[in-house]
Every structure is written in structure tokens, then in C-alpha cells.
Amino acid sequence: MPGLKKGCAELIVAGVMSGTSADGVNVALVRLAGRRFRTRIELIAHDTFAYPAGVRAAVLKAMNAQSIAVSELARLNFLLADIYADCVHRTQRRSGVTCELVGCHGQTIYHQGNAARYLGRHVACTLQIGDGSVLANRLGVSVVSDFRPADMAAGGQGAPLVPFLDLLLFRHPKRGRIVQNIGGIGNLTAIPASADAEQVRAFDTGPGNMVIDALCEKLFGSAFDNQGKLAAKGRVLPAVLAEQMKGPFFRRRGPRTAGREEFGREFVAAFLKQCGPAKPHDVLATATALTARSIAAAVRALSTQNQYRDLFISGGGTLNLTLMEMIRSEVAGLGLEVLPTDAVGVPSQAKEAVAFALLAYQSWHGDPSNIPGATGAEREVILGKVSYA
């Protein structure tokens, strides 16, 4: 295959991530060398860029839409690639470092990890937009994108894909570790002490910031709860929280994935209805508690043999101090040290962008990088599609 490199020459790769929160774009410039689980990772620079308000509104409108014009989806596909290119250019200018390859997750518009009946067949599907060819042309380097379908074609759910990075960065010879990311959706990776890839387990825990952000916008006219200050003024509604935790998603065992299909606008509308005449701050506090309790429930289910000692947290949720305090309270008694990933040199806002730089690097060298124990795939596969510059 043209451009595919079978050696282990050092490469500087730009990882580009825009998550289900649809709040913007994270870029990480990463120096990588080596192969597979011996890959060496050095974060050179990272930056975060907010979507323009109109772009964010268009993305949110497209996500899990009952219907959308094909023309609108096509335009958004090319527009997002342009925005990603601008973000990479700006990160390169600020750091003085130029990438040689790009790994771009793209913007998830729809994700259905489990097969459902459609036109006489059972179909699982996913759609991430932000065209790789446009991005490669703008940046002048090859791009690996559209990572999820290869795993799904092998019987997996196409997510989570970050556990490959988690295993490289957080595996410890004596301490079992759980790595929790809180983006729009929450997801964790469980890594027993001295684990190999077959022992790693990962799955989505439930809503991360998604429900909190939606309620902030609806109730307070704010895109997010800055440091959790709004939720801190409210009181959790115990009956609502208990009822929510009985929901079908939380009864499913891993591997499991979630998105706006489970916790988007329909969920938020039902949540508000269940809260009834409660004060807005109480509603938001309850939504924040739902994220914390769903994370704790997943962690507690994994901790029955007391093999885990650390709970590392990354993602935008680490900036919500009320949420972080709720998580600490919920997992108290499990013997876990709760820390942001920054404590071990992995900036919490950059981790997922670093992950897609790493996945692109693996694919560029013809190496698989899904972890079947995390996604449910039947086998390891090479992820992504390559767009050549």
C-alpha cells in the first residue's frame, strides 16, 4: 500500500478529537516511535478550540436527528474538515512543530453499536463526519480517519477505542488501575496489575457532560456549568436519581456504548418531566449526581475483588468541581485513590486527542489497535481509512 510504513521510524502525529459534547476540537501533537504495545509516546503540544456558535448548533441539530437534508450533512462534512485543518494549523504555529501524519476521529453524528432490524436485515452502524481527503489536502500530510467501522465490521461496537492508549500509559506492575474519561459520554478502561491486552475491559458508563450541558442551556442559558457552581447551589432529588439508575442502559453489561441516541434530547425531556416542579438548581444537581453515580456503579462492579487501587479521571468533566467531589463521595470506601490524569503527566483535556494520534500511528504501520475485550470484536483489526496528501 503506498505510504504504508512497516518500520518503526519516529513520527510526529496530530491527533484531532471532537466529542459527543460538540463543544469544540482538541488537538494534540505527539511524537511516536516503536511498535504496538512498546510504542513510545511524547506529548509535544496540545490545544482546545471552541466551535463557532453556529457550527455547534448545526452539529447538535444533526446528531441523532430524525431526518436531515443530505445537502446539509454533506456541507457539514466538508466544513468540519476545514475547521479541523484550521485548528491543527493554529496548534502548529503556536508550538513551532509540524506534524507528519494526522489521526482524526471526526464528529460522531450517529452511533448504533448493537445491530437492529432494518429493511429485512440486522444492521449496526456509525457515522463520523469531517472528510479526511479535505483535511489531508489542507494540511499537506496524510490523514487516518473513520476509525470505528473496522471494529464494527469485525463484530465489535466500534467503541471505546481509547483503551489502547490507556493500556500503554497506565499499566502498572503492581497496581490495578481504572481510567475514567468524562466527555459528553463517560467511559472507563479497567487495567489489572501487569495486564496484557486480553485482560483489559472497557465500556461506556453512561452520561458524562451531555445531560448536564443540555440542562444548563435549557434552564440557565449557559453552554455548561462552569466549575459545577450552578449544581453546587442545588440539592439532589433522591427519588429521581434512584429511578434513573434503573434505566435500561445501566442494566446492560459490557461491552456497551452510548451516545445521544441514549442520553440526548429525548432523554433530557423525560428527565425534566420526571423532576416536575423542582427548582432548576436541584434539577442540575440531580443530573450531575447521575453522572457521578453511574460512574461509581461501574467502578463498584469492577472492584469486587479489590484488585484496583487507582481511579484516574480525564476529559472536560474534571473541570466540574462539583462532579469530581460527587464521584469521590460515591466511591469512598472502595480503597481507590481518585486523581486527574494530569497527576501522571497526561493532561486531562488532551488524552483523547493523544489516543487518536496513537491509533493513526498504529494504522499507518499496519498494526491493529482495537482491543476486543473492550469493544466486543471477534478479532484485532487495523482501524481507520487513509486519505493521502
Side-chain angles (χ1 to χ4, degrees), residues 64 136 162 166 238 362:
N64 197 30
V162 175
D166 289 339
Q362 302 300 323

Side-chain angles (χ1 to χ4, degrees), residues 238-316:
V240 174
L241 179 58
E243 190 62 29
Q244 287 294 330
M245 286 300 299
K246 296 176 184 176
F249 176 83
F250 302 116
R251 294 198 300 268
R252 280 162 40 198
R253 301 182 70 178
R256 66 185 186 190
T257 62
R260 290 191 180 273
E261 297 75 27
E262 288 78 17
F263 298 108
R265 60 178 70 93
E266 293 86 358
F267 179 89
V268 170
F271 185 90
L272 273 170
K273 184 177 181 181
Q274 190 175 15
C275 290
K279 297 175 181 177
H281 289 96
D282 295 349
V283 174
L284 192 61
T286 306
T288 305
L290 175 62
T291 292
R293 184 158 297 179
S294 60
I295 289 170
V299 169
R300 193 173 293 111
L302 290 167
S303 300
T304 52
Q305 297 177 352
N306 296 319
Q307 60 176 317
Y308 297 101
R309 292 289 175 264
D310 303 308
L311 174 60
F312 289 103
I313 303 181
S314 66

Side-chain angles (χ1 to χ4, degrees), residues 27-58:
V27 177
L29 296 177
V30 187
R31 182 177 285 109
L32 296 153
R35 293 290 291 274
R36 290 284 277 154
F37 295 110
R38 294 186 177 181
T39 304
R40 298 186 301 279
I41 304 167
E42 178 192 352
L43 177 61
I44 302 169
H46 68 96
D47 216 332
T48 300
F49 306 90
Y51 276 145
V55 172
R56 183 169 193 262

